[in-house]
């Protein structure tokens, strides 16, 4: 029988789980907003969302199947005991759906915003191909024996492996550039809190059940929480200690609509409304003058030429 022994642990499990869901869900938005404000994804390593796509797809398969499928519940209880609770909560399912959706949207931003010479690495493409080929092979193996618990555990293992790998390209990019510009520190903090509360949720269930079965029964969730916290601490050190924000200002990418105009708006209007001189065919837009405030009004090319000619005759 898989029921709670204490109402307090049950409430703690639910609260910690939904706080984890909220933190991990919000962690996607700082990067999305940063990309939008900069109209650029320069400095954001493309391997991260590419690997994230495979990771969250795998995690969604595991969470949804483990939570909703009665046959997998039966196989889980058969393996770990009838008194053990299913180690996946509804918040885990919602998190996977939301995370996959935001990952797809982030990849859309990569296609529409300035990205410089960046691209997905061949290593990332190779890893993704290996993962999905392996998944197909595992499906073929599991299908005749109906080994569904084993199959979704394989998907859970895939997401753990990718979680280990996916942060490395961004950490290396920050190291090579000696900058964290383009990588949102807001993402890092929300990600860290998500991992911390997810681990706390597992602890609450373990205390209630007087068992650590839920830790190795859902080893993917445990390792996910620990890996996330480890890498996020590394990113915090990079952002605040190794490459502080003050030194990043020179590397900032400023969107064109936020940049200071090269000439003031009044001069731009003069340039846009300039007309050709009736006698010479030249106009104010044929002449570029960069000056500070108080610059006299621009003169047509023909009048300026006459004044120069008169000056030469005087000399």
């Amino acid at each position: 029988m898989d029921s709670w022994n204490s109402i307090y642990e049950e409430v703690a499990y639910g609260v910690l789980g939904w706080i984890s869901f909220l933190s991990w869900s919000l962690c996607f938005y700082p990067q999305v907003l940063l990309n939008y404000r900069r109209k650029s994804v320069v400095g954001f390593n493309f391997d991260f969302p590419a690997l994230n796509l495979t990771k969250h797809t795998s995690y969604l398969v595991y969470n949804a199947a483990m939570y909703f499928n009665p046959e997998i519940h039966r196989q889980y209880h058969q393996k770990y005991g009838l008194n053990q609770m299913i180690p996946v909560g509804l918040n885990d399912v919602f998190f996977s759906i939301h995370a996959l959706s935001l990952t797809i949207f982030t990849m859309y931003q990569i296609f529409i915003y300035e990205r410089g010479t960046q691209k997905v690495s061949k290593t990332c493409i190779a890893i993704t191909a290996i993962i999905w080929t392996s998944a197909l092979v595992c499906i073929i193996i599991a299908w005749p024996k109906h080994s569904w618990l084993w199959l979704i555990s394989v998907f859970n293992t895939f997401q753990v492996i990718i979680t280990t790998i996916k942060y490395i390209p961004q950490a290396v990019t920050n190291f090579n550039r000696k900058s964290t510009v383009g990588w949102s520190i807001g993402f890092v903090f929300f990600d860290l809190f998500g991992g911390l509360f997810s681990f706390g949720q597992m602890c609450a269930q373990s205390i209630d059940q007087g068992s650590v079965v839920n830790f190795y029964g859902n080893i993917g969730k445990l390792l996910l929480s620990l890996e996330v916290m480890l890498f996020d601490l590394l990113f915090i050190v990079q952002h605040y200690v190794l490459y502080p924000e003050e030194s990043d200002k020179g590397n900032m990418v400023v969107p064109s609509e936020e940049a200071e105009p090269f000439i003031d708006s009044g001069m731009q209007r003069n340039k846009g409304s300039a007309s050709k001189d009736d006698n010479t065919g030249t106009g104010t837009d044929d002449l570029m003058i960069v000056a500070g405030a108080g610059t006299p009004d621009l003169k047509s090319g023909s009048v300026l030429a006459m004044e120069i000619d008169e000056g030469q005759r005087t000399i």
Side-chain angles (χ1 to χ4, degrees):
M1 146 177 172
D2 52 344
S3 60
W4 289 94
N5 297 315
S6 168
I7 186 64
Y8 300 107
E9 271 87 19
E10 183 179 6
V11 171
Y13 177 88
V15 171
L16 291 171
W18 285 107
I19 293 176
S20 173
F21 161 77
L22 183 63
S23 297
W24 264 339
S25 296
L26 289 176
C27 78
F28 290 91
Y29 291 95
Q31 187 66 54
V32 168
L33 294 175
L34 179 63
N35 296 342
Y36 172 75
R37 287 197 303 266
R38 298 169 74 229
K39 298 296 186 292
S40 169
V41 289
V42 174
F44 178 48
N45 192 287
F46 296 169
D47 288 2
F48 181 80
L51 291 171
N52 240 359
L53 185 65
T54 297
K55 174 256 166 73
H56 287 303
T57 301
S58 300
Y59 202 34
L60 176 59
V61 169
Y62 172 79
N63 283 332
M66 177 65 84
Y67 187 80
F68 290 111
N69 193 295
E71 175 60 21
I72 292 177
H73 293 177
R74 186 190 67 78
Q75 293 181 15
Y76 183 86
H77 288 141
Q78 184 178 8
K79 181 175 181 178
Y80 294 108
L82 293 176
N83 62 328
Q84 296 300 322
M85 298 182 66
I86 298 301
V88 170
L90 184 60
N91 64 280
D92 296 313
V93 180
F94 276 108
F95 163 72
S96 294
I97 295 173
H98 182 269
L100 182 59
S101 301
L102 266 292
T103 298
I104 293 173
F105 183 77
T106 303
M107 296 191 71
Y108 167 72
Q109 288 186 311
I110 290 175
F111 285 101
I112 65 174
Y113 292 147
E114 178 191 356
R115 55 184 179 272
T117 59
Q118 294 178 196
K119 59 184 178 180
V120 177
S121 70
K122 294 180 180 179
T123 301
C124 175
I125 296 173
I127 291 172
T128 303
I130 291 171
I131 289 292
W132 285 112
T133 301
S134 301
L136 179 59
V137 171
C138 290
I139 291 173
I140 294 173
I141 294 173
W143 196 280
K145 300 178 181 180
H146 302 285
S147 303
W148 307 127
L149 179 63
W150 172 80
L151 180 60
I152 66 169
S153 298
V154 169
F155 276 93
N156 200 17
T157 302
F158 287 158
Q159 70 92 9
V160 171
I161 293 172
I162 296 175
T163 300
T164 305
I165 297 171
K166 72 175 186 175
Y167 290 105
I168 296 176
Q170 186 65 53
V172 172
T173 296
N174 295 345
F175 172 77
N176 290 336
R177 298 171 66 238
K178 299 298 183 290
S179 169
T180 57
V181 169
W183 175 242
S184 173
I185 193 63
F187 167 89
V188 173
F189 277 112
F190 280 123
D191 198 36
L192 176 63
F193 293 146
L196 184 63
F197 285 111
S198 178
F199 181 77
Q201 184 190 34
M202 298 188 76
C203 289
Q205 182 176 346
S206 180
I207 292 171
D208 179 82
Q209 299 295 298
S211 169
V212 294
V213 169
N214 67 297
F215 282 109
Y216 60 81
N218 190 356
I219 191 68
K221 185 175 181 178
L222 173 63
L223 293 179
L224 172 64
S225 300
L226 297 178
E227 289 171 343
V228 159
M229 290 188 285
L230 177 63
F231 276 103
D232 287 334
L233 289 174
L234 171 62
F235 288 128
I236 289 173
V237 171
Q238 284 187 321
H239 185 80
Y240 290 106
V241 180
L242 299 179
Y243 322 120
E245 189 172 350
E246 289 75 15
S247 64
D248 283 343
K249 290 180 179 178
N251 298 323
M252 289 296 289
V253 177
V254 182
S256 57
E257 65 271 17
E258 296 179 5
E260 289 292 329
F262 187 63
I263 55 179
D264 63 57
S265 58
M267 293 178 67
Q268 289 178 349
R269 287 194 298 269
N270 288 339
K271 180 178 178 181
S273 61
S275 59
K276 298 294 182 179
D277 185 271
D278 294 334
N279 298 323
T280 64
T282 59
T284 57
D285 53 351
D286 296 315
L287 180 62
M288 178 181 291
I289 295 179
V290 178
T295 300
D297 293 336
L298 296 177
K299 298 181 179 181
S300 67
S302 59
V303 174
L304 182 62
M306 291 173 62
E307 291 184 354
I308 293 173
D309 184 56
E310 288 177 1
Q312 290 176 343
R313 286 200 299 270
T314 303
I315 294 172

